[in-house]
Amino acid sequence: MRNDVFIAYSRKDSQAAESIENHLRKSGLRCYRDVKSIPGSKKWIDEITEAIKSCHIVIAIVSENSAFSEHVDSELQIAFNAKKTFLPIVLSDDVHLSNTMEYVFGKRQFAFAKPSLEAVLPSIEESVWDVIDPLQHKGAYDDVDDVRKRSNYYKEVKFAEDRYGLLIGDFPCGTTRIENSAYVMIAKPKDYLGFEMSGLPRMAEFVLEAGISKQSGPDDHWFGFEFGERFPGNFYQFLLNGQGTIRISKHWNKEWHDLICIHTMHHIRGGNSENTLKVIRKGTTFHVFVNGRYTVTVHDSDVRAGKLGTVVGWGIQAAFVDIYIDCIDLKALFTNALNLWKELKILESKKDFKYIVEYDPYGYAEYERNPYLLLTETRPDSKKTILIVIGYRVFAQMNDSLPSAKLKEEINRSGNHENLEFASVVTDAGLVEEKVFMQCPIITIGGHLGNKITADFMNQSTYDNVSSKGIKIQHNMEKGDRRVALWGDSAEDTAKAVDIFISSGLLDRFLTMIWGRNIHAQQSHHAPPMTGFSSSL
């Protein structure tokens, strides 16, 4: 069985070790302290080794007794080799560390039993939990880090400067005011009082952290935060009470549902004490931390997006302070995605549009354009999609349409539709008119007299060795240039230039450069032909 804490100590310090163990056990930690085995025996060695290897942290009681104990030295060496975290607790100032202690503790922070061991037991407990909680609940802590990493909005709410949309005054259900930089809510005895922080953005995933305290009212009544729509819409509530209970509820289709309710958590302070509540929403998951400790996780996806708000239950007066918010601001995300879309960074923009469609399927009125329609619109990606350019005049299209269609088919055979790795045939006039598309990799087909883009390229690119007197293949691929010109003295020569570009391996070389993967190794993968764009862009 895994232990959270291994206590290394001298038997002469048993009273101190027992005090630490009892305090940690009351906080819910599993401790191992050797009190039975015969030191030095095989059973002792096996048991001690397994207990150390299975723990999260080693508490070492440092005293004159333990500093020169061979058995403590052995335990510390085993723990060091197992790369365990140490928390050394020094019982007196005049202790001289053994060589082993100096080596294994290194520059670690020591805890000193001042003014007494009993006085520092709470800080020892906190230090131990700081190590163990992230190990026991790694997924929840990783979700916090992930949401904060992807957040595009951060706000430290200071009520002395801004109310962030929360209302102040007297209302039918109660009263609100700003008092000592806190937002204070006072609900009437038979009403609950809740307000939306309308000054904050509409969000999907978020990390909310705040100090909240009940100032008066029954201990079994609730106070906390809401997320979603305003009442009577759909929303979640994340609540505490004065009995040390955490509750997550959902108001859905005008009915209430308790998602979870956990009573009397050790790390939640009861009565009118202040608690730090942290709520994380990632995907369909909500994690709740109280006073820096993981508390509970629930999964629910009915309410996809909304705003945050504060709420207090019947007859409760509560204060909200030190509010910190990291979130995915959906409107800002859409604006950024639309800018990327306009710049032909389509793959990047699609990730954000898909996110918005997933989390805010009914919130299109908030945005400049409908993100679902933008997702369904065919548009080239400037990094991945290849434009095959032919002349817009009738003779150019008649002569160059067949070789351009052949080249397009060859490109799409190696491409990946999902990654926008495909080719589309467009006209030179369309490209000149909408110059943003010049950012894409381009292959022109047809001579400079019938193709304005070839005329631009031909004086800037070198002739490949496979070119001949009548067949022209121009590029600067060795310099990373993403432009190729294929043309000839006649329509027949232009068609041959396309054939040679394909058969000589130059096309594979070009695609490898554009798509960043070895085309030769993936010739067995055939993507379905793409219809691409209209001939006029």
Side-chain angles (χ1 to χ4, degrees):
M1 178 179 174
R2 175 177 284 278
N3 296 291
D4 298 315
V5 182
F6 179 93
I7 301 175
Y9 71 107
S10 165
R11 292 287 177 89
K12 295 179 181 179
D13 298 320
S14 293
Q15 186 174 351
E18 184 177 359
S19 295
I20 293 171
E21 179 185 6
N22 289 340
H23 185 88
L24 295 181
R25 284 189 183 279
K26 288 178 182 178
S27 76
L29 292 166
R30 295 166 296 182
C31 301
Y32 179 92
R33 180 170 65 93
D34 174 37
V35 294
K36 298 178 182 178
S37 300
I38 301 173
S41 67
K42 183 180 186 304
K43 181 180 179 182
W44 178 83
I45 294 172
D46 291 344
E47 184 177 327
I48 291 294
T49 301
E50 179 57 33
I52 291 172
K53 288 184 176 180
S54 67
C55 79
H56 291 305
I57 185 172
V58 173
I59 288 181
I61 297 179
V62 181
S63 69
E64 289 295 338
N65 299 319
S66 63
F68 298 99
S69 165
E70 292 182 5
H71 301 306
V72 172
D73 267 12
S74 297
E75 292 168 353
L76 297 180
Q77 287 173 3
I78 293 170
F80 182 80
N81 291 335
K83 299 181 179 179
K84 296 299 177 180
T85 299
F86 289 98
L87 176 58
I89 300 173
V90 183
L91 297 184
S92 61
D93 290 337
D94 56 353
V95 176
H96 295 85
L97 301 183
S98 67
N99 291 336
T100 299
M101 287 181 172
E102 287 186 354
Y103 181 73
V104 301
F105 295 158
K107 296 182 179 180
R108 288 177 174 83
Q109 187 72 39
F110 286 70
F112 292 89
K114 290 182 178 181
S116 66
L117 179 61
E118 286 68 27
V120 297
L121 286 176
S123 63
I124 291 172
E125 175 192 340
E126 185 176 351
S127 296
V128 172
W129 275 111
D130 285 345
V131 173
I132 290 177
D133 208 45
L135 295 174
Q136 288 183 336
H137 306 289
K138 185 176 184 301
Y141 279 85
D142 286 347
D143 284 350
V144 175
D145 292 340
D146 179 69
V147 173
R148 281 182 167 153
K149 181 180 178 181
R150 294 185 291 108
S151 166
N152 61 1
Y153 180 94
Y154 171 78
K155 178 64 68 176
E156 178 181 349
V157 175
K158 296 181 179 180
F159 290 117
E161 301 173 2
D162 195 334
R163 289 178 262 171
Y164 300 93
L166 289 170
L167 300 180
I168 301 294
D170 296 322
F171 305 94
C173 296
T175 300
T176 62
R177 60 175 179 258
I178 303 296
E179 186 176 283
N180 297 324
S181 299
Y183 182 66
V184 177
M185 305 180 71
I186 308 165
K188 291 184 177 179
K190 295 295 182 179
D191 286 301
Y192 89 87
L193 184 64
F195 289 112
E196 181 182 82
M197 301 177 74
S198 59
L200 297 177
R202 183 174 175 84
M203 62 189 72
E205 296 174 296
F206 62 86
V207 178
L208 162 70
E209 186 168 357
I212 57 176
S213 59
K214 177 176 70 69
Q215 297 180 325
S216 65
D219 278 349
D220 61 343
H221 289 192
W222 304 93
F223 52 95
F225 285 91
E226 297 179 329
F227 167 69
E229 304 168 6
R230 287 183 291 183
F231 185 85
N234 300 318
F235 57 91
Y236 298 104
Q237 289 186 334
F238 310 94
L239 307 170
L240 296 176
N241 70 13
Q243 296 176 333
T245 301
I246 182 76
R247 176 183 179 187
I248 302 177
S249 300
K250 176 176 64 174
H251 187 257
W252 181 253
N253 291 337
K254 300 182 179 181
E255 294 184 356
W256 284 102
H257 309 268
D258 268 352
L259 301 181
I260 199 163
C261 189
I262 302 179
H263 298 279
T264 318
M265 304 292 289
H266 289 292
H267 58 284
I268 301 178
R269 305 181 188 105
N272 293 356
S273 300
E274 181 176 312
N275 288 279
T276 300
L277 176 66
K278 181 160 69 175
V279 181
I280 296 89
R281 201 280 178 85
K282 181 186 175 184
T284 61
T285 301
F286 291 98
H287 303 293
V288 176
F289 291 70
V290 180
N291 297 324
R293 293 250 304 274
Y294 169 84
T295 304
V296 69
T297 293
V298 297
H299 302 277
D300 195 275
S301 60
D302 284 338
V303 181
R304 304 286 185 87
K307 292 199 173 187
L308 291 167
T310 55
V311 62
V312 296
W314 290 9
I316 292 291
Q317 175 173 323
F320 298 79
V321 296
D322 301 328
I323 301 178
Y324 302 90
I325 298 166
D326 286 273
C327 71
I328 311 296
D329 177 344
L330 290 167
K331 192 168 184 178
L333 188 71
F334 175 82
T335 300
N336 181 67
L338 185 61
N339 289 335
L340 291 172
W341 185 85
K342 292 175 180 177
E343 295 169 6
L344 300 186
K345 297 176 181 178
I346 306 301
L347 282 177
E348 292 181 59
S349 68
K350 278 194 170 185
K351 292 177 184 177
D352 292 343
F353 288 143
K354 286 177 180 177
Y355 184 97
I356 293 166
V357 168
E358 177 184 358
Y359 281 96
D360 206 12
Y362 308 111
Y364 295 159
E366 295 279 328
Y367 311 122
E368 180 182 339
R369 296 182 62 178
N370 187 321
Y372 178 79
L373 295 180
L374 292 172
L375 272 175
T376 60
E377 182 174 323
T378 304
R379 195 169 178 88
D381 182 84
S382 61
K383 293 182 178 179
K384 301 288 186 179
T385 309
I386 297 166
L387 301 186
I388 300 172
V389 185
I390 61 175
Y392 84 98
R393 295 183 179 278
V394 174
F395 77 88
Q397 295 206 30
M398 291 180 62
N399 291 325
D400 300 330
S401 290
L402 286 178
S404 66
K406 181 177 182 179
L407 180 58
K408 173 183 171 181
E409 182 179 353
E410 288 295 325
I411 292 172
N412 291 343
R413 198 188 307 280
S414 299
N416 182 323
H417 177 207
E418 301 246 341
N419 289 337
L420 301 183
E421 296 175 349
F422 63 90
S424 184
V425 178
V426 299
T427 67
D428 59 346
L431 209 56
V432 168
E433 183 178 336
E434 300 186 64
K435 292 188 181 296
V436 64
F437 295 101
M438 291 290 289
Q439 299 176 73
C440 295
I442 291 173
I443 302 175
T444 68
I445 296 180
H448 59 283
L449 296 178
N451 191 322
K452 294 180 181 179
I453 308 303
T454 299
D456 290 339
F457 285 3
M458 63 183 296
N459 294 325
Q460 302 170 25
S461 304
T462 57
Y463 291 95
D464 192 274
N465 291 333
V466 297
S467 300
S468 63
K469 185 176 181 181
I471 298 171
K472 316 295 183 182
I473 298 178
Q474 293 181 270
H475 63 81
N476 288 322
M477 276 192 270
E478 66 283 350
K479 296 180 181 178
D481 188 13
R482 306 191 311 159
R483 301 175 299 174
V484 173
L486 307 176
W487 56 288
D489 290 343
S490 65
E492 184 179 357
D493 287 340
T494 295
K496 288 179 180 179
V498 172
D499 288 338
I500 294 171
F501 181 68
I502 296 170
S503 62
S504 66
L506 285 172
L507 174 59
D508 288 347
R509 180 181 163 193
F510 184 72
L511 297 181
T512 297
M513 179 182 71
I514 300 302
W515 294 339
R517 56 184 174 83
N518 192 332
I519 299 302
H520 299 284
Q522 304 198 20
Q523 287 301 316
S524 60
H525 171 73
H526 297 315
M530 296 292 300
T531 55
F533 309 94
S534 67
S535 61
S536 62
L537 265 181

